[in-house]
Amino acid sequence: MTSPDGSGTPGRPGGPGPGPAGDRGVPAGPAADAEYTVVVPTLGRDCLADCLRALAAAEGPPPREVVVVDDRPLPWPALPLAAAGALRTRVRTLTTWGRGPAAARNAGLRTAGTPWVVFLDDDVRVRGDWGHALAADLTTAPARAAGVQGRLRVPLPAHRRPTDWERGTAGLEHAAWATADMAYRVRALEEVGGFDERFRRAFREDADVALRVQDAGWTLRTGSRVTYHPVRAVDRWVSLRAQRGNADDALMARLHGPGWWARARAPRGRLRAHLVVTGAAVAAPVLAVTGRRGAAAVAGALWVLGTAEFARARIAPGPRTTAEVSTMLCTSVLIPPLAVGHRLAGLVRHRGARAWRGAL
């Protein structure tokens, strides 16, 4: 168990932990049913201060506790907890030593002594009326509603077209069950064993737990509260690192079957096209070396055309600045083989994966 100053390791706070369903140490009634704990996993980014500041400024019933889960491999320098203002005395920290967002959320979930836990990402800012809207979302949730999602809004530049990264972030406005702002009944998450800690990135762990709670007979709904998700600053190679998520897609298919995309309301992406383009890139030199020059020329042309189409699809809706165009050209060449490589690695790594047994 950690102390209020953040020392120690994850565990339950002092006193009795949650008992059977419906007995969580809080009085009965609608007000008690709406009591909640906020859990914020963080890597110590500067945006955490803005997140806590907005949470403290929100009007409405405050959280019983704010659990900030420090998932940095080395938990220093100190986190900007003073930004929580009036909520500072309700803030407690846990340390998970770089185990990933799923493990960080499980650590916070294990300490929750309220019927509801609200997961916020450290780069969001709740709106001023968030507390009132959240209370309405929770008190009106049907008995078998496991979770209520907040409505995400991504501010985009008004003076120019958005970049490829900005458009990707804006896709969160349509994401289903994103834990950037997601309230769950603690009892429902305990029933399914919490988040699957094999998802080590902030990518598919929220879709996975949403499918599992629905498979267990619960429902999910969208609430009325609004949370802003600003676009964070990144370097030009962020889209290359994002391809590691293809390994998580392999795990999702292993756990939920090939139709998981539709159930999770997730976009299919371009993996099939990347397979074709990458196959052409590999085949062209092999065919040329073996003397099949005509076939090699066809494969080479297919690679060029496929790469050009991909680059155009990313460049056309953007600002078309020199920096953006050059970045899109470079990364459009590299993304297809990276995506295919990570997918193959995921298929091998997760070939024997079984249903998550739980970490709670």
Side-chain angles (χ1 to χ4, degrees):
M1 181 180 70
T2 65
S3 61
D5 65 358
S7 60
T9 54
R12 291 192 183 275
D23 177 15
R24 303 194 61 82
V26 294
D33 290 343
E35 286 198 316
Y36 66 99
T37 299
V38 170
V39 174
V40 185
T42 185
L43 293 174
R45 298 181 296 191
D46 292 342
C47 54
L48 174 63
D50 294 328
C51 176
L52 294 176
R53 194 174 293 114
L55 185 62
E59 297 179 353
R64 179 189 289 186
E65 189 172 41
V66 178
V67 182
V68 177
V69 187
D70 188 345
D71 195 43
R72 292 175 293 179
L74 298 175
W76 57 74
L79 298 175
L81 303 182
L87 290 179
R88 178 64 184 91
T89 57
R90 301 186 183 215
V91 175
R92 187 162 52 84
T93 59
L94 304 175
T95 303
T96 46
W97 307 100
R99 292 166 53 205
R105 293 192 184 100
N106 282 341
L109 175 62
R110 281 191 290 270
T111 72
T114 52
W116 290 90
V117 60
V118 182
F119 297 105
L120 295 177
D121 284 352
D122 69 353
D123 54 355
V124 303
R125 300 172 189 171
V126 300
R127 202 165 70 171
D129 62 350
W130 185 85
H132 289 303
L134 173 66
D137 289 344
L138 302 187
T139 55
T140 60
R144 290 302 294 175
V148 186
Q149 180 181 13
R151 299 177 183 270
L152 299 178
R153 296 292 180 263
V154 179
L156 294 176
H159 62 286
R160 60 166 173 79
R161 295 179 176 183
T163 64
D164 180 68
W165 171 250
E166 290 167 342
R167 294 194 306 275
T169 303
L172 288 170
E173 293 189 346
H174 310 289
W177 326 132
T179 42
D181 180 354
M182 186 72 189
Y184 270 109
R185 291 189 195 271
V186 173
R187 181 162 59 95
L189 291 183
E190 289 178 336
E191 183 178 323
V192 301
F195 291 84
D196 189 332
E197 296 181 10
R198 291 171 293 188
F199 292 94
R200 299 296 297 269
R201 286 169 290 275
F203 187 50
R204 296 298 188 199
E205 81 291 352
D206 46 9
D208 168 74
V209 79
L211 292 182
R212 286 189 286 116
V213 297
Q214 291 177 95
D215 288 342
W218 296 86
T219 62
L220 298 171
R221 66 194 325 227
T222 300
S224 61
R225 66 191 187 278
V226 174
T227 294
Y228 297 108
H229 192 302
V231 180
R232 60 185 174 88
V234 294
D235 62 75
R236 65 185 302 192
W237 308 116
V238 64
S239 61
L240 302 183
R241 295 192 297 276
Q243 301 313 307
R244 291 178 290 187
N246 284 280
D248 297 321
D249 286 349
L251 179 55
M252 286 291 289
R254 178 70 184 176
L255 297 174
H256 301 287
W260 73 267
W261 301 91
R263 293 182 57 216
R265 294 190 243 166
R268 285 298 302 263
R270 297 178 60 107
L271 183 63
R272 293 179 180 177
H274 291 338
L275 282 167
V276 173
V277 171
T278 302
V282 172
V286 172
L287 292 169
V289 168
T290 57
R292 303 173 65 182
R293 299 188 181 280
V298 171
L302 182 60
W303 173 77
V304 170
L305 290 173
T307 302
E309 184 278 329
F310 182 39
R312 180 186 178 282
R314 301 172 71 206
I315 292 170
R320 305 181 195 178
T321 61
T322 300
E324 176 76 357
V325 170
S326 63
T327 298
M328 294 301 99
L329 290 174
C330 292
T331 55
S332 294
V333 173
L334 297 173
I335 283 175
L338 281 173
V340 171
H342 283 299
R343 184 57 176 264
L344 292 175
L347 289 172
V348 172
R349 184 182 314 131
H350 302 302
R351 64 188 181 280
R354 297 291 184 268
W356 178 243
R357 298 298 183 184
L360 301 181

